[in-house]
């Protein structure tokens, strides 16, 4: 036993830093414990003194009485007395001093944080009571500690979860206090602003970023990040328009911004949350005004360009080295690549038609010249199948027609191409045109497969195809989109387009009309253009 | 290579396509330089003089139109013909290219390399190359 009276006054060596710990140390430093112990101690010491002083007196008195008897008996008596005194001493120590010692030892263990130690005092008196209380105290302390530790673990897990959530947010998140100083910023915010979180922490927003709108005007932080309801009424909604964020070292990003002022009654130091969504990519697309189909068709054309390009050069440079079969194979590849290119063109055009973005640039045209050129363009293709291609012009010169040169040539290319595709070897195609009333009507007739009557109403719809063009190697726009687009173009010209056929294998004729320019002055707008993708 | 052969700058980010055009133009007797993005294109234009610019529009970083804008801004007097090589079907964009002083445009996927060489030849000879007009006015 170190020092009987010197009880530990504080619990400062219990290693927890929390309100609970403060409470604990106050429990232990309460003088109540001191008082109980001191009281018990005083009582015990008093009893001890009394017995050790009174007992010998009684014994000396007894001794005097017995002394008159005999020496031996007297010695024996002394010994017995001594034994009794020692016995008493031992008894007193065990009953009073040891329990005290145990209690003091127990409290020092408690202070050290050894909550498992149980003080064992079974004296049936106040000391036992005190010991039991201390044991209960230890048990309570221990379970309180465990609870605190568990809470701490749970908090840490939740904190990690939140951190993971914030980090994986695609949007940039910045939390600021009432003075718009940064409390927290996630990874995406770091990317957008160019600053790391450690650089941003505790810095005011205006020291880190500058935000300006689409016309270049800077927006003050109080407007884009209000922290109080009063500021909120003055702020504007920036939700839709992309803003420019000027961050570290002049780094520029485009964002849409949303800010959420935090309710002050929540009693945290949070002032507002700022959400920045990086829209730089979309801005790029927008600045090009590219919709999905345009973007997709551009992407599709890139590999098509390479395929056609390299194939064409390879064929040209290696013709002498290749067998006829080799060449045939390569040419089929080229045809397929062309079909792919045509399909992309058509898809793009159809998309434009659907969006109403497909319009025409109508000019007066020398129709005879346009038709002559179209025939010339398709001559080689027709000759490959030994099909004769002829143009019949009226005797009197045609007045000019109102049409878009590029688009009307696409129509001609489509119709003539179809005629060639659906006409067998040695067939005939005739292109004729006449002026009729306010219109010029053009007819393209072939001696080919013909059209079933049921098909006639559906011809000009999307993806409609008569089964089986006559040759698989046909270069024509066999995508089912050609007639649909032709009709769209003719419609835009304020013309009409229709077809007729006598039936199976009786050939077919496609007609379309174009409004005429009644004025006698003809302005020729013909530059030779290689429009069709036939190679 | 003749000392009088014309110099052509190709600004194109797709390596396959740039290589092919450069090869065919070189075989046709021209001196060719290639830039793979807008920024590099501008730098090369500043450093050397060219007789013709083949300009792709969709480029990483600054795009072809931006390049043209900056180039015209710095050198408004420069007469070098510019041919827009593009796979874009977005006519408003091509139209802007014409506003910025392009002479013609070619849809890459519609021309073989040899046809492109032909168009280059036409352009250098002062003749019309590619489509002379912007595509018909589109709404977008």
């Amino acid at each position: 036993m170190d020092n009987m009276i010197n009880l530990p006054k504080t619990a400062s060596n219990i290693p927890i830093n929390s309100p609970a710990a403060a409470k604990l140390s106050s429990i232990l430093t309460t003088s109540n414990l001191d008082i109980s112990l001191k009281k018990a101690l005083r009582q015990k010491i008093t009893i001890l003194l009394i017995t050790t002083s009174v007992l010998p007196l009684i014994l000396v008195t007894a001794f005097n009485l017995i002394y008159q008897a005999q020496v031996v008996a007297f010695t024996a008596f002394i010994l017995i007395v001594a034994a009794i005194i020692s016995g008493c001493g031992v008894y007193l120590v065990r009953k009073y001093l040891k329990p005290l010692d145990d209690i003091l030892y127990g409290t020092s263990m408690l202070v050290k944080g050894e909550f498992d130690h149980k003080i064992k005092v079974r004296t049936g008196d106040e000391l036992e009571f005190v010991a039991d209380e201390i044991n209960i105290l230890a048990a309570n302390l221990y379970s309180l500690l465990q609870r605190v530790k568990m809470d701490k673990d749970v908090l840490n897990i939740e904190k990690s979860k939140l951190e993971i959530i914030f980090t994986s947010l695609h949007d940039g998140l910045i939390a600021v206090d009432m003075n718009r100083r940064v409390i927290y910023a996630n990874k995406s915010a770091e990317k957008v602003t160019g600053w790391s979180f450690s650089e941003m922490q505790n810095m005011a927003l205006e020291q880190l970023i500058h935000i300006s709108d689409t016309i270049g005007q800077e927006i003050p932080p109080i407007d884009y990040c209000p922290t109080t309801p009063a500021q909120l009424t003055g702020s504007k909604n920036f939700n839709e328009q992309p803003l420019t964020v000027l961050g570290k070292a002049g780094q520029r990003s485009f964002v849409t911004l949303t800010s959420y002022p935090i309710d002050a009654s929540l009693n945290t130091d949070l002032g507002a949350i700022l959400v920045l969504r990086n829209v730089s990519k979309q801005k790029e697309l927008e600045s090009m005004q590219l919709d999905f189909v345009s973007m997709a068709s551009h992407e599709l054309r890139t590999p098509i360009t390479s395929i056609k390009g390299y194939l064409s050069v390879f064929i040209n440079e290696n013709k002498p080295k290749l067998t006829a079969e080799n060449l045939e194979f390569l040419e089929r590849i080229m045809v397929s690549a062309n079909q792919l290119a045509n399909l992309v063109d058509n898809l793009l055009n159809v998309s434009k038609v659907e969006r109403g973005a497909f319009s025409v640039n109508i000019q007066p045209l020398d129709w005879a010249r346009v038709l002559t050129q179209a025939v010339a363009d398709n001559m080689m293709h027709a000759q490959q199948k030994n099909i004769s291609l002829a143009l019949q012009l009226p005797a009197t010169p045609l007045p000019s027609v109102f049409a878009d040169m590029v688009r009307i040539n696409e129509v001609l290319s489509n119709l003539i191409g179809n005629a060639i595709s659906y006409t067998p070897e040695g067939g005939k195609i005739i292109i004729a045109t006449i002026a009729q009333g306010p219109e010029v009507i053009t007819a393209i007739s072939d001696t080919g497969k013909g059209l079933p009557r049921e098909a006639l109403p559906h011809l000009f719809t999307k993806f409609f195809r008569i089964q089986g063009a006559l040759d698989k190697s046909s270069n024509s726009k066999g995508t089912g989109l050609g007639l649909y687009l032709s009709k769209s173009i003719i419609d835009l010209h304020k013309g009409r387009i229709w077809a007729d056929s006598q039936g199976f294998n009786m050939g077919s004729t496609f007609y379309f009309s174009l409004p005429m320019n009644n004025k006698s002055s003809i302005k020729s707008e013909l530059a030779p253009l290689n429009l069709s993708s036939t190679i | 290579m003749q000392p009088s052969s014309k110099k052509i700058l190709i600004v194109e980010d797709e390596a396959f396509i740039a290589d092919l055009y450069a090869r065919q133009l070189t075989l046709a007797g021209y001196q060719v330089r290639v830039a793979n993005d807008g920024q590099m294109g501008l730098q090369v234009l500043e450093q050397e003089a060219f007789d013709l610019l083949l300009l792709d529009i969709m480029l990483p970083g600054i795009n072809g139109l931006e390049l043209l804008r900056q180039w015209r801004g710095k050198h408004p007097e420069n007469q070098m013909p510019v041919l827009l090589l593009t796979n874009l079907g977005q006519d408003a964009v091509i139209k802007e290219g014409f506003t910025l002083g392009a002479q013609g445009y070619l849809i890459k996927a519609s021309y073989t390399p040899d046809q492109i060489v032909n168009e280059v030849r036409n352009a250098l000879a002062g003749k019309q190359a590619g489509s002379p007009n912007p595509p018909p006015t589109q709404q977008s």
Side-chain angles (χ1 to χ4, degrees):
Chain A
M1 179 155 67
D2 289 346
N3 191 334
M4 224 159 88
I5 313 292
N6 205 0
L7 294 170
K9 292 236 191 285
T10 63
S12 55
N13 40 353
I14 294 180
I16 319 164
N17 229 0
S18 67
K23 196 173 170 195
L24 288 172
S25 62
S26 71
I27 291 171
L28 288 172
T29 54
T30 298
S31 45
N32 292 335
L33 200 59
D34 273 1
I35 289 172
S36 300
L37 277 174
K38 281 195 179 131
K39 196 162 150 219
L41 199 65
R42 263 187 249 119
Q43 280 179 344
K44 303 315 160 198
I45 292 174
T46 312
I47 294 173
L48 194 70
L49 287 173
I50 292 173
T51 47
T52 50
S53 53
V54 166
L55 197 61
L57 278 173
I58 298 173
L59 292 173
V60 163
T61 317
F63 162 70
N64 275 328
L65 292 169
I66 298 170
Y67 181 68
Q68 267 110 49
Q70 317 207 11
V71 179
V72 171
F74 174 69
T75 319
F77 180 69
I78 299 285
L79 289 171
I80 292 168
V81 165
I84 292 172
I85 290 174
S86 326
C88 288
V90 166
Y91 172 73
L92 285 172
V93 165
R94 285 182 74 186
K95 185 147 199 246
Y96 298 112
L97 296 182
K98 185 164 188 315
L100 220 45
D101 195 14
D102 284 343
I103 290 172
L104 287 168
Y105 181 65
T107 54
S108 70
M109 291 301 275
L110 194 63
V111 167
K112 275 199 220 135
E114 301 280 339
F115 298 102
D116 292 338
H117 179 86
K118 294 267 176 283
I119 309 172
K120 293 194 192 41
V121 169
R122 295 283 168 265
T123 54
D125 62 1
E126 299 94 327
L127 287 177
E128 182 175 335
F129 175 74
V130 168
D132 286 342
E133 288 298 292
I134 293 177
N135 285 339
I136 293 171
L137 179 69
N140 287 345
L141 266 177
Y142 183 66
S143 54
L144 188 65
L145 257 181
Q146 292 303 99
R147 264 225 316 280
V148 168
K149 217 161 80 173
M150 241 173 28
D151 287 345
K152 195 174 170 208
D153 286 340
V154 167
L155 266 176
N156 276 337
I157 290 172
E158 291 299 312
K159 189 167 172 237
S160 307
K161 263 203 258 178
L162 276 175
E163 270 172 6
I164 293 171
I165 292 173
F166 285 139
T167 308
S168 40
L169 264 183
H170 187 254
D171 293 346
L173 197 103
I174 303 179
V176 297
D177 66 11
M178 296 299 288
N179 297 317
R180 275 179 283 274
R181 287 182 184 273
V182 176
I183 300 175
Y184 176 77
N186 72 350
K187 211 176 183 62
S188 304
E190 289 180 339
K191 274 204 222 130
V192 168
T193 61
W195 299 99
S196 72
F197 171 48
S198 48
E199 288 171 325
M200 283 198 265
Q201 201 169 13
N202 285 326
M203 301 287 283
L205 273 181
E206 48 239 345
Q207 294 171 298
L208 298 166
I209 56 174
H210 293 273
I211 302 215
S212 40
D213 63 15
T214 42
I215 50 175
Q217 260 191 320
E218 177 151 354
I219 303 171
I222 198 170
D223 279 348
Y224 71 75
C225 187
T227 51
T228 67
Q231 295 172 9
L232 191 55
T233 51
S235 79
K236 305 155 207 156
N237 183 7
F238 299 107
N239 216 349
E240 290 311 312
Q241 46 165 310
L243 304 171
T244 311
V245 174
L246 196 57
K248 182 179 184 183
Q251 170 183 315
R252 209 176 281 261
S253 315
F254 294 105
V255 299
T256 52
L257 180 153
T258 318
S259 68
Y260 305 90
I262 300 293
D263 188 356
S265 67
L266 285 177
N267 204 22
T268 63
D269 54 356
L270 281 176
I273 309 281
L274 198 60
V275 178
L276 302 168
R277 171 168 296 172
N278 198 336
V279 294
S280 306
K281 276 240 172 64
Q282 283 98 298
K283 186 130 208 300
E284 209 181 277
L285 286 179
E286 253 172 45
S287 69
M288 283 270 165
Q289 291 170 24
L290 288 179
D291 61 294
F292 171 71
V293 174
S294 302
M295 198 67 200
S297 58
H298 174 269
E299 294 302 297
L300 286 167
R301 277 172 172 165
T302 300
I304 290 172
T305 307
S306 287
I307 293 171
K308 283 174 62 170
Y310 282 95
L311 193 56
S312 153
V313 167
F314 180 82
I315 294 174
N316 288 343
E317 293 182 356
N318 290 284
K319 263 206 188 108
K321 295 186 232 161
L322 296 165
T323 69
E325 196 188 37
N326 291 152
L327 270 175
E328 170 71 12
F329 282 9
L330 292 172
E331 258 144 39
R332 288 189 180 192
I333 297 174
M334 185 56 101
V335 163
S336 302
N338 280 329
Q339 283 173 341
L340 203 51
N342 286 339
L343 182 54
V344 171
D345 289 348
N346 280 339
L347 284 173
L348 190 59
N349 286 335
V350 167
S351 155
K352 287 182 189 169
V353 166
E354 306 252 272
R355 282 187 288 125
F358 195 85
S359 55
V360 289
N361 182 13
I362 310 256
Q363 304 283 333
L365 299 179
D366 179 345
W367 192 232
R369 187 136 169 226
V370 171
L371 288 180
T372 313
Q373 182 64 48
V375 165
D377 288 341
N378 285 281
M379 189 61 79
M380 196 167 73
H381 187 201
Q383 280 169 352
Q384 282 171 3
K385 287 177 76 175
N386 221 359
I387 297 173
S388 76
L389 187 57
L391 175 62
Q392 285 174 358
L393 294 169
T396 51
L398 285 166
S400 51
V401 297
F402 274 124
D404 177 322
M405 172 66 113
V406 172
R407 298 298 178 201
I408 209 63
N409 268 303
E410 285 176 4
V411 173
L412 287 169
S413 178
N414 174 232
L415 295 176
I416 300 174
N418 283 347
I420 296 175
S421 290
Y422 288 88
T423 301
E425 300 251 339
K428 259 175 97 167
I429 298 174
I430 299 174
I431 303 169
T433 182
I434 57 166
Q436 200 170 76
E439 304 175 310
V440 167
I441 302 197
T442 307
I444 297 159
S445 324
D446 61 64
T447 56
K449 278 189 74 172
L451 303 159
R453 294 222 76 83
E454 316 80 75
L456 289 178
H458 307 292
L459 275 177
F460 299 96
T461 55
K462 267 182 284 182
F463 294 117
F464 181 85
R465 291 189 66 178
I466 306 283
Q467 280 315 306
L470 275 182
D471 51 342
K472 293 281 189 304
S473 68
S474 163
N475 223 343
S476 70
K477 294 177 171 62
T479 55
L481 291 171
L483 285 178
Y484 172 75
L485 283 170
S486 293
K487 179 168 193 306
S488 306
I489 294 171
I490 298 297
D491 286 347
L492 285 166
H493 282 78
K494 306 272 194 295
R496 293 168 295 123
I497 184 167
W498 69 101
D500 201 7
S501 172
Q502 297 305 320
F504 187 60
N505 278 338
M506 308 278 277
S508 28
T509 306
F510 280 76
Y511 304 87
F512 65 92
S513 67
L514 289 172
M516 221 159 38
N517 181 353
N518 279 323
K519 299 202 181 82
S520 48
S521 63
I522 295 173
K523 209 167 142 204
S524 182
E525 285 268 330
L526 301 173
L529 288 167
N530 184 8
L531 287 158
S532 70
S533 309
T534 57
I535 302 296
Chain B
M1 208 177 299
Q2 309 94 318
S4 62
S5 65
K6 307 276 187 159
K7 252 169 95 172
I8 300 174
L9 174 62
I10 304 175
V11 183
E12 164 67 64
D13 63 320
E14 289 288 334
F16 285 1
I17 298 176
D19 285 351
L20 191 57
Y21 291 167
R23 179 186 188 272
Q24 297 310 103
L25 285 168
T26 309
L27 284 175
Y30 299 103
Q31 289 184 59
V32 180
R33 297 271 179 282
V34 174
N36 295 114
D37 63 64
Q39 199 58 51
M40 194 174 143
L42 272 177
Q43 282 174 337
V44 175
L45 278 172
E46 290 292 340
Q47 291 159 1
E48 302 174 45
F50 291 93
D51 299 294
L52 179 78
L53 173 62
L54 286 177
L55 182 58
D56 182 23
I57 295 185
M58 287 296 278
L59 297 165
I62 61 171
N63 62 53
L65 296 178
E66 186 56 35
L67 182 155
L68 209 46
R69 191 173 297 122
Q70 289 190 25
W71 173 249
R72 292 287 182 224
K74 274 206 198 128
H75 302 269
E77 76 296 338
N78 190 288
Q79 296 290 327
M80 173 185 67
V82 175
L83 278 184
L84 297 174
L85 282 181
T86 181
N87 269 332
L88 274 180
Q90 200 46 279
D91 303 325
V93 175
I94 300 174
K95 196 165 171 212
E96 205 191 330
F98 277 98
T99 324
L100 290 166
Q103 270 62 44
Y105 83 97
L106 303 148
I107 306 266
K108 283 180 279 187
S110 302
Y111 286 79
T112 63
D114 290 331
Q115 286 173 324
I116 300 245
V117 171
N118 221 26
E119 300 295 332
V120 165
R121 201 170 283 132
N122 286 344
L124 285 170
K127 292 192 233 161
Q128 185 50 57
S131 291
N133 304 307
T137 44
Q138 304 285 331
Q139 285 160 24
S140 64

